Amino acid sequence: MTQDVDDFLSMDDEDPTTSPAVAEAAQVALERAGDKRGQAIAKVRLAEALSLTGKAQEAMAQAQEALDICEDMRFEVGRGAALAAIARICAAHGAGEDDAELGFDSAQDALRHFRKIGVKRGEAIALWSSAQMECAFGTPRQAVKLASEAIVLFQDSGASSLEARACHSLADGYLAAGDTRRAAKAIERAMAVQAALGDKTKEAKCLHTLATIELQSNEPEKATELLGKARAGFKAIGDYRAEAMVMDTQRDMHLAAGRFVEAVQIVKETATHFHDAGDRGREARALLKLSELLLEGGDTEKSQKVAEVAANILVEARDEEGVKQAFELMGAVKHASMKREMEAVIELNSGFMHVPKHLIVDPGLNKRIQQSYGEALQKSLF
């Protein structure tokens, strides 16, 4: 039975953007082979992968299908695992009373079921799922209690990776309660587990999470040090996307502290970072962010140039939505430039003329932006 539970929870969550495709391919192959048990396992994995990428409805459909298969087969471990997966999906994406009811009922059913059949690791999975539901819909105190119980059971059963994931849920409970100190301790425990497992990727993720907690605790010096370590960790393993996420946190930290120049510099580094990695799409998005910051700082000339570069990259990539954003941004830059010119003229002539300085507008701006975008489409840019 323990192997069955291992099978259900062994889905690798390191790259959720590729996990759904891998899990779906496995599920289709098992279905063709007539392996109902394997198919149910694959569906639970696929459900979690889809949930990680934000596809809640698809994730729920897969988990429910897995549950139906397990009930038809009287596959007890599978039934409990599918119920727990449904609860986690509700916790991650639920928004109303129906989702809350389904999630709590599924988590409680999974917990009773695993206790009935005597599978300790399954019981821990159900407790962990219940903790996530409490974080989303219930009380922080109960979330902390359930996550703590799950951690003990995971530790006793040797499920170190799951123990670390439950530590993150424990931290979420403490954060919901406003206890950043204990939340940091929970992430430090998770980080120690990942270090013992030799998982450099998850260890770096813990450093990043810990840095965000220190920011919430108003400890910028500690956060700065942790963010530097997280970046170094991701760089060492070649995970350029994760490193860029840390850089985004550094940017937000600078902006929140009023360090505008430093924020602009880190965004420039991010654009260069994606360029060096050959990721032109993300490079363009970083350039758009840089253009926005330059516009906010009043440097309309540089903002326009950067936006144009980003637009050209997005046109080459045939990213319609990105090009639309770039055109809108260039329109905003043009409006800001015209507004500054008008204000300068008003200031220059302020000694002998009176012009109201409020509500300086650019009539027809949105229409011109849409026309420009339409002209781009007509020129077969896509």
Side-chain angles (χ1 to χ4, degrees), residues 16 52 92 107 123 126 142 171 188 260 263 294-295 302 356 358 374:
L52 286 169
E123 182 181 345
Q142 187 67 5
E188 288 172 354
F260 187 79
L294 291 170
L295 175 60
K302 287 185 180 179
H358 299 291

Side-chain angles (χ1 to χ4, degrees), residues 50 178 223 227 318:
L50 289 167
L227 288 170
R318 297 182 179 275

Side-chain angles (χ1 to χ4, degrees), residues 92-107:
H93 307 286
E97 293 182 3
D98 291 343
D99 292 327
E101 183 178 359
L102 175 61
F104 278 120
D105 287 348
S106 298

Side-chain angles (χ1 to χ4, degrees), residues 21-44:
V22 174
E24 185 172 10
Q27 189 266 134
V28 170
L30 290 163
E31 184 177 7
R32 289 175 178 172
D35 184 348
K36 288 289 187 180
R37 175 187 174 282
Q39 186 183 349
I41 292 172
K43 282 184 175 294
V44 171

